Amino acid sequence: MSLRASLLASLAASVAHAGAWTQGRGHGYAKLSTTAFFADQRFDASGEARPLDDATFLGEGFARRVTGGRVREHAAWLYGEAGVAERVDLLAKIGWRASDTRFQCSGPCSDNSTVVDNDDVVHIGNAGLGDGEIGAKVRVLHVPVVSLALSVAAPTYSNDLEVLRLHDQNFFNDRSPLGTGSIDVEGRALVGLSLGRGWLGAEAGLRARTKGYADLAGYLVQGGAPIAWRLRAALGVGGFVPVGDGSRRDAHEPPREEEVIGAGKVIFPSRESAHKLLPSIAVDLPLGFALELGGQWVFAGKRTNAGWGLEAGISYRR
């Protein structure tokens, strides 16, 4: 995961789904949502939150020129579940995402005018389609509800790497990557329990990534209940931790070893982790529609951006 794009930590985990419950034959759930993420700090390899312009990430030479840094990411997602049998759903997700990272310098950042907006700002950004994902979910137990899900994510973009020079330091790819660039396979086990008018759900899974990023073990624990007429609220804790060291690497990619991006070091560490608080509310509308609002706070992690995000979406259940 690079400083320039917190691939999973910032956006993807905020996209909601229907949990362990399956839709049933002829029924479905669809959601169109937009998300935004903001950060001016980053967790280092030990889990300490530091400013983005800290020498830990930029190297001593470049950090002396920088007076501030910030990350802004925005995305729009379309997610759906379609019941093809009483216990089987098909799943699909596609999204558009944009990433923008800026460093403000006390003087000229670089003599290379191709990578700066002006003499005292370094701007690194990208926008385009994210990963497309398809899969299936099968309910194996009714009370409590237990389901198993399997999905495959594939890139719908190119992460072509370019090497540029900035004050005699190597930077790979002046555009933020839109994803890992790999085909990922994820398996999840989901449990759901109805508690009167409320519910409680939990899930755990493993995402296997085929290039030089470590596999991820993810988790989510979430509960919710109606709080007023047509108004529902939920609160969750979720995140992921690395599994392995990301040793599978394409021969055309740089080795992912260092977090420091200055002094010629590589900027793509692979062993990221994040833990988040996930509050949300929903307002039920007529005809099966609902307005869903959510947030996320990345309160702990390693090698990932430390910040907060918002989500707004409209969903439909048939």
Side-chain angles (χ1 to χ4, degrees), residues 83-296:
V84 296
E86 193 60 32
R87 294 171 175 260
V88 181
D89 289 352
L90 295 182
L91 319 175
K93 184 180 73 174
I94 188 67
W96 173 91
R97 61 190 308 270
S99 174
D100 180 81
T101 300
R102 292 176 184 261
F103 293 105
Q104 183 75 38
C105 298
S106 56
C109 290
S110 172
D111 297 328
N112 186 344
S113 61
T114 64
V115 298
V116 295
D117 291 335
N118 53 56
D119 285 343
D120 60 357
V121 176
V122 173
H123 168 225
I124 307 154
N126 203 356
L129 291 176
D131 289 337
E133 189 166 347
I134 58 173
K137 179 170 62 177
V138 179
R139 175 162 51 89
V140 297
L141 190 63
H142 185 66
V143 180
V145 177
V146 177
S147 297
L148 301 177
L150 182 67
S151 60
V152 177
T156 58
Y157 48 81
S158 173
N159 271 350
D160 294 336
L161 290 176
E162 302 172 359
V163 179
L164 57 93
R165 304 287 292 184
L166 185 60
H167 287 297
D168 295 324
Q169 299 171 10
N170 285 333
F171 284 74
F172 285 94
N173 197 355
D174 58 328
R175 296 187 307 161
S176 303
L178 292 168
T180 65
S182 70
I183 296 177
D184 299 350
V185 179
E186 182 178 39
R188 291 178 293 140
L190 307 94
V191 179
L193 184 64
S194 296
L195 300 172
R197 300 180 63 196
W199 57 272
L200 181 66
E203 64 178 76
L206 177 66
R207 177 173 288 256
R209 305 198 284 187
T210 56
K211 288 192 177 180
Y213 293 83
D215 299 336
L216 298 178
Y219 71 94
L220 174 65
V221 179
Q222 195 172 37
I227 57 175
W229 182 73
R230 293 185 176 271
L231 184 64
R232 296 174 281 120
L235 182 63
V237 176
F240 53 85
V241 295
V243 178
D245 60 0
S247 59
R248 295 187 300 274
R249 181 171 61 85
D250 188 281
H252 301 291
E253 295 183 334
R256 296 178 172 90
E257 297 174 350
E258 299 288 346
E259 188 167 27
V260 178
I261 69 173
K265 299 297 180 84
V266 178
I267 64 171
F268 291 100
S270 65
R271 299 176 301 280
E272 70 273 19
S273 65
H275 306 279
K276 313 167 198 179
L277 187 67
L278 303 164
S280 63
I281 60 172
V283 180
D284 292 324
L285 303 175
L287 304 177
F289 290 93
L291 176 64
E292 301 188 21
L293 304 174
Q296 64 166 311

